[in-house]
Amino acid sequence: MSNTPMAASPLTRAVLEIDEYVSGLGWDQPARLFALVDTARLRADQPSLADRLGLQDEPETSGLTPIEQDEVPTDQALDEFLGTIAWPDAVVGCALAVERLMLPPSAEAQVPQGLNEAKLAQWVAEHPDRQEVRMTVAVLRDGARDSALRLRDKDAATDVLTGSDLVPGLAQALTATFEE
C-alpha cells in the first residue's frame, strides 16, 4: 500500500491497494475479483498464509487484505457470473476491478434508437468522446462500499477518483453476492 493514504478508511485503502496492483499490470486486462478478509483475523486464524502474504509485520490491526480469486470468465456476462458467487463467512467483503468505455452525459442524447447490445457497444467504441476507465469497486457485508476510477488518459495515482457512489450498479451487484 505504498501510495495509499493512511487516514483513509480500511475499505478505501483496500480499494486503492487493488487499483494500484491492477494498474501495475497495465491496461487491457480482464476483470479481476478479490475477496476482502480482516487482516487481524487472517493473522490469527492462518498465520502461515499471513506470513506468505507478508502480513506478519504489518503494524495495522484494523485493515482489510484483498485476495485475488480465480479468473473471471470472459464467456459469461459479468452480472450473470456475479450471481453465481457465494462467499464463506471469513470473507467480510469483495471487490472487482474492471475496464469499460465511458461516455460523458452529453452523449446520451446522441445514442441512436433501436440498437442491440452489440451495436450499442460498437457505437460507444467508435464515439469520439469515449474514455477508457478502470473501475475498482468494493463492498462489505455490512453494506459499506467504496470505489476508485482511473482514466486511461490520466493514468496516475494522483488522478484516481474515489467515492462510495461512483459505480452504484456494480456496487449493488457485488453486495448481492453476500445475500443468501
Side-chain angles (χ1 to χ4, degrees), residues 37-82:
V37 297
D38 179 88
T39 303
R41 182 173 172 192
L42 178 64
R43 283 195 298 229
D45 293 350
Q46 298 188 31
S48 62
L49 175 58
D51 193 41
R52 282 193 312 237
L53 294 173
L55 300 175
Q56 293 298 38
D57 298 327
E58 288 281 321
E60 183 180 339
T61 57
S62 64
L64 297 168
T65 298
I67 300 174
E68 188 170 5
Q69 304 301 290
D70 292 334
E71 288 187 21
V72 175
T74 57
D75 61 344
Q76 185 178 18
L78 188 57
D79 58 340
E80 290 175 12
F81 168 70
L82 292 175

Side-chain angles (χ1 to χ4, degrees), residues 18-19 21-34 72 74 78 96-102 124 131-137 148-153 155 167 170:
I18 293 167
D19 173 74
Y21 164 74
V22 175
S23 176
L25 300 172
W27 284 88
D28 304 318
Q29 296 291 315
R32 295 180 183 278
L33 181 66
F34 298 82
V72 175
T74 57
L78 188 57
L96 183 76
V98 63
E99 296 176 14
R100 292 291 186 254
L101 291 177
M102 181 176 76
V124 170
Q131 290 277 330
E132 291 179 72
V133 63
R134 181 180 302 117
M135 303 174 284
T136 303
V137 179
L149 294 180
R150 181 186 292 255
L151 295 174
R152 190 171 192 156
D153 289 347
D155 192 5
V167 193
L170 185 52

Side-chain angles (χ1 to χ4, degrees), residues 11 36 92-95 137-141 144-146 171 174-175 178:
L11 185 58
L36 299 176
V92 298
C94 66
V137 179
V139 300
L140 297 179
R141 283 184 188 270
R145 59 170 73 170
D146 211 337
L174 290 172
T175 300
F178 291 103

Side-chain angles (χ1 to χ4, degrees), residues 5-22:
M6 290 312 293
S9 74
L11 185 58
T12 301
R13 287 194 306 273
V15 165
L16 291 173
E17 180 179 347
I18 293 167
D19 173 74
E20 185 177 343
Y21 164 74
V22 175

